[in-house]
Amino acid sequence: MVKRSIPLVEFLRNTNGSILIITHENPDGDALGSGLALYKFLKKKGKEVYIASKDGVPHMLDFLPGAQEVIKPDDRFYDVGIIVDASGFYRAGTDVKVGKKIRIDHHIGGEFYGMHDYIDPNAPATASLVYEIIKSWDESAMDKDIATCIYTGLATDTGFFRYSNTTEKTFELARELVSWGADPYYVYTMFFEREKPNKMKLIARVLETLQLHENGLVAGVTVFKRFLDETGTTYEDTEGLVNYPRSIEGVRVAYALIEKPEEGVWKVSLRAKGDVNVGKIAERLGGGGHKYASGAKIEARSYEEALARLLSAIREELKLQKVHA
Ligand code: 5GP
Ligand code: MN
């Protein structure tokens, strides 16, 4: 593989100040996997580096090497701030004071901070971009822990090598990471097979809310806050629920609408099956994401209002994208 020259590598090589790596709120496997891989690598390179996440580390990712070192964003000033796996610093969900802003990401569009950003919308995961950074800087610093973090980002963002962003290159990267010591069975069981019994109760409640729209092209579920209270679960446990409506035959757009009264919003997760661009639907709602996975926060006073706004954004995009049953 041809090594790309990456301006960010030269910049970080010459940085002696403090570096804050920050993930988006409610971090997923790619956000924490890519962030922790970069964090561990920069530490090895002798840099003063920190990693922060507004919502900490969710249970299914607490096995990641370095997870205990993730801090909550604080009031400190950092010379350099690097946002990973997000379309801008606004996605950190909190203000951070940094001198120079840098973004490492694979989302389409978003905010740009300058020539040291490292953005590639064709990358399967932000973690694969971090791997490129490490390879172009000093591959000998790769180790089992860093490989595990990168592998987790790559695996989770490709649905464990099932989604359409899974290509020959993805398997090639996975093969290299396994050769560095990443263990696919370990990552899979730690991520997927440590659910709490209460989560099953939540899934049962949520599946009852299943609705189909547009002749079965669209399906979704709703998570009312009371479901979380009644089953002893938290917002974190809503991760992945959107995959159930997506799994129905004929469904091209799936959503999960999640009540977040403490923020006064309804969070929507959108997933596509086939070639609908759900990133465009999220953009209509003031959010963003990728073609196949996106999200937004809808400010609405009632469930009915939130659902109506979501469905109208979906309908408009289906019409524009000429999607028919
Ligand atoms: P999820 O549905 O798993 O929360 O998010 C799916 C994708 O959409 C992720 O790539 C995430 O970065 C993006 N996304 C989710 N929520 C928001 C949001 O409120 N704003 C923006 N810009 N992107 C979001
Ligand atoms: Mn990602």
Side-chain angles (χ1 to χ4, degrees):
M1 218 184 308
V2 188
K3 270 191 193 171
R4 280 197 258 179
S5 144
I6 304 173
L8 175 58
V9 169
E10 280 325 300
F11 174 79
L12 290 174
R13 235 195 253 277
N14 297 319
T15 294
N16 294 314
S18 54
I19 303 169
L20 178 72
I21 298 167
I22 188 153
T23 72
H24 55 76
E25 58 182 339
N26 305 123
D28 59 8
D30 191 28
L32 281 165
S34 60
L36 280 166
L38 184 63
Y39 168 79
K40 289 199 155 277
F41 174 76
L42 291 177
K43 274 213 135 172
K44 276 190 156 182
K45 292 279 113 194
K47 304 292 173 184
E48 184 194 345
V49 58
Y50 306 86
I51 177 164
S53 151
K54 183 195 136 222
D55 299 304
V57 177
H59 171 66
M60 71 263 195
L61 291 166
D62 63 8
F63 70 93
L64 284 174
Q68 337 62 256
E69 288 159 62
V70 175
I71 59 170
K72 291 280 167 86
D74 49 25
D75 285 338
R76 250 191 82 174
F77 173 85
Y78 298 88
D79 297 304
V80 179
I82 305 176
I83 180 109
V84 289
D85 194 42
S87 43
F89 272 80
Y90 72 98
R91 291 271 295 128
T94 178
D95 277 332
V96 285
K97 293 195 213 67
V98 299
K100 183 181 169 65
K101 286 181 175 169
I102 293 171
R103 179 179 154 215
I104 305 176
D105 187 29
H106 69 138
H107 290 78
I108 300 168
E111 293 178 354
F112 300 98
Y113 304 109
M115 66 173 289
H116 297 113
D117 289 350
Y118 191 43
I119 300 164
D120 181 357
N122 294 315
T126 301
S128 67
L129 298 175
V130 169
Y131 188 38
E132 282 181 30
I133 288 168
I134 295 173
K135 283 209 275 195
S136 102
W137 184 335
D138 177 10
E139 193 167 5
S140 72
M142 275 300 293
D143 60 28
K144 184 184 166 88
D145 283 356
I146 294 175
T148 300
C149 292
I150 299 173
Y151 179 90
T152 302
L154 188 64
T156 53
D157 258 30
T158 58
F160 284 74
F161 310 102
R162 291 173 303 173
Y163 297 157
S164 60
N165 56 351
T166 307
T167 61
E168 192 179 346
K169 166 118 188 284
T170 321
F171 285 110
E172 176 56 26
L173 289 174
R175 189 197 65 74
E176 288 180 29
L177 295 164
V178 171
S179 79
W180 281 113
D183 179 345
Y185 181 67
Y186 173 76
V187 171
Y188 165 74
T189 48
M190 294 306 277
F191 187 80
F192 273 118
E193 308 226 321
R194 291 189 299 142
E195 300 287 19
K196 301 177 220 105
N198 291 5
K199 167 91 183 250
M200 301 299 124
K201 294 190 181 132
L202 176 67
I203 293 171
R205 299 292 289 272
V206 169
L207 291 182
E208 290 283 343
T209 69
L210 177 72
Q211 288 185 52
L212 291 160
H213 317 269
E214 305 297 302
N215 295 318
L217 280 180
V218 178
V221 291
T222 306
V223 186
F224 294 97
K225 175 69 166 66
R226 65 170 189 278
F227 290 180
L228 303 179
D229 300 337
E230 288 163 11
T231 58
T233 50
T234 63
Y235 178 75
E236 201 181 293
D237 294 305
T238 64
E239 170 82 28
L241 293 175
V242 67
N243 297 335
Y244 291 102
R246 191 191 51 204
S247 69
I248 298 168
E249 184 169 23
V251 165
R252 309 274 286 279
V253 175
Y255 69 81
L257 193 54
I258 305 162
E259 184 180 22
K260 291 196 96 178
E262 63 289 354
E263 285 181 40
V265 299
W266 289 78
K267 152 84 202 202
V268 60
S269 277
L270 287 156
R271 297 293 184 270
K273 187 166 65 181
D275 52 11
V276 181
N277 185 337
V278 293
K280 296 276 179 213
I281 298 172
E283 274 172 29
R284 281 179 184 268
L285 296 163
H290 311 272
K291 186 168 182 249
Y292 294 99
S294 66
K297 286 176 178 172
I298 304 175
E299 275 173 45
R301 264 154 308 199
S302 68
Y303 164 67
E304 289 73 21
E305 185 189 337
L307 181 65
R309 295 210 359 226
L310 168 62
L311 289 176
S312 100
I314 293 175
R315 274 191 210 106
E316 281 166 33
E317 266 317 307
L318 289 180
K319 210 184 295 166
L320 206 67
Q321 297 181 33
K322 299 192 168 55
V323 181
H324 308 284

